[in-house]
Amino acid sequence: MVVGGGPAGLEAARVCAERRHHVVLFEAANRLGGQVLLGARASWRKDVLGIIDWRQAEIERLGVEVRLNAYAEAADVTAEAPEIVIVATGGVPDLDWIEGAAHCTSVWDAIGGTVALGSELIIYDGTGRHPAPQVAELAARDGRQVSLVSIDGQLAQELTYVDRVVWKKRMYELAVPTTFDHEIVKVGRNGNRLVATFRNLTTQALVERAADQIIVEHGTRPADELYRALRGASANDGVTDLPALLARQPQPRSIRSEAAFELHRVGDAVASRNVHSAILDSLRLCVAL
């Protein structure tokens, strides 16, 4: 049983089905894809949907049973009597560490349209990946006044050179001012405006900047409630043996032989990571199951 239909979950289902396991995949949304569906909304990244489309076609070919609009809880999992459970439930925006997090908008809400964009925005990039420049592009194309502040020394630092150059070009074309080497410290309200405090990582000097909206990208923290609910009943206490994983060897024998299922988690359900790392997680685990 695989819980979660993002890239990690789809890869887990595909590889397990290729190995002739009977696979049931639960997805809480009405469509497979997870965060990739948001990433594809950028002007030049629509082809990223191929990551999902190919795997969806493969699991259909392999006979994986897919249940959409199915928010799986512990009782739903145990009712299936699975031998192996792979939790690929992804993550949620990591904002709670910021003082004044309640005043911040996540990049997910901004890209997905869950929260309306303000007239003047400051976008903070704490990962160097795609989401922050994607929001900047979205807002600037919509005529908003946008500035981008990054913790890194250059734009999109975690991306490949090719991707980084595309985003740099887009920021120049859209005249989005960028500030580097600053980390966000706190966000507060001053009248009908929000004030964000940033720290210069080189000089340690603090600077305040005001806007109508502060949008923050800081990766995700695991959405692991299901994993934790199942862990005590699992044969392996939810522990994935990392040396075996890296060697692509079968996981060690269960420590609780009386338990009904083995439990693992992959992708952002473990920690914040990019799509390629999430897929590799599932491949390395499932190729030896």
Side-chain angles (χ1 to χ4, degrees), residues 3 35 71-72 87-93 108 220-228 265-272:
V3 184
Q35 292 183 53
Y71 184 89
V87 175
T89 45
V92 293
W108 287 21
T220 62
R221 64 179 190 276
D224 59 359
E225 294 85 358
L226 177 63
Y227 167 80
R228 296 189 182 280
R265 55 178 172 163
V266 292
D268 283 359
V270 181
S272 182

Side-chain angles (χ1 to χ4, degrees), residues 4-152:
L10 288 172
E11 180 70 355
R14 181 189 73 83
V15 177
C16 287
E18 285 277 17
R19 292 178 57 76
R20 300 180 184 275
H21 293 288
H22 172 68
V23 183
V24 179
L25 186 150
F26 279 64
E27 167 55 43
N30 62 2
R31 181 182 177 187
L32 298 172
Q35 292 183 53
V36 174
L37 301 180
L38 295 178
R41 296 186 180 188
S43 63
W44 60 280
R45 298 191 69 222
K46 292 178 175 55
D47 287 350
V48 75
L49 285 176
I51 293 172
I52 302 301
D53 292 343
W54 180 77
R55 285 173 174 80
Q56 183 171 354
E58 284 295 286
I59 65 174
E60 290 175 1
R61 178 181 67 83
L62 293 164
V64 172
E65 181 181 344
V66 177
R67 302 182 189 176
L68 300 176
N69 299 303
Y71 184 89
E73 297 183 342
D76 301 308
V77 173
T78 55
E80 296 293 320
E83 295 176 276
I84 299 174
V85 179
I86 300 173
V87 175
T89 45
V92 293
D94 183 19
L95 302 181
D96 289 349
W97 57 275
I98 303 172
E99 182 181 341
H103 300 299
C104 301
T105 300
S106 74
V107 288
W108 287 21
D109 287 336
I111 295 171
T114 306
V115 175
L117 297 180
S119 298
E120 183 181 355
L121 297 75
I122 296 174
I123 300 167
Y124 174 69
D125 185 3
T127 65
R129 302 175 191 164
H130 289 285
Q134 181 177 344
V135 174
E137 177 191 59
L138 173 69
R141 291 174 65 188
D142 198 34
R144 318 284 176 170
Q145 185 177 339
V146 185
S147 60
L148 191 150
V149 179
S150 174
I151 195 172
D152 295 317

Side-chain angles (χ1 to χ4, degrees), residues 200-254:
N200 185 307
L201 294 177
T202 303
T203 67
Q204 300 301 303
L206 298 178
V207 58
E208 292 185 346
R209 296 177 58 173
D212 297 324
Q213 190 173 34
I214 311 297
I215 299 175
V216 175
E217 155 63 356
H218 194 259
T220 62
R221 64 179 190 276
D224 59 359
E225 294 85 358
L226 177 63
Y227 167 80
R228 296 189 182 280
L230 293 170
R231 184 173 179 179
S234 67
N236 61 330
D237 194 32
V239 175
T240 301
D241 184 272
L242 296 182
L245 178 79
L246 296 176
R248 298 189 180 183
Q249 296 297 316
Q251 290 290 303
R253 286 189 175 185
S254 302

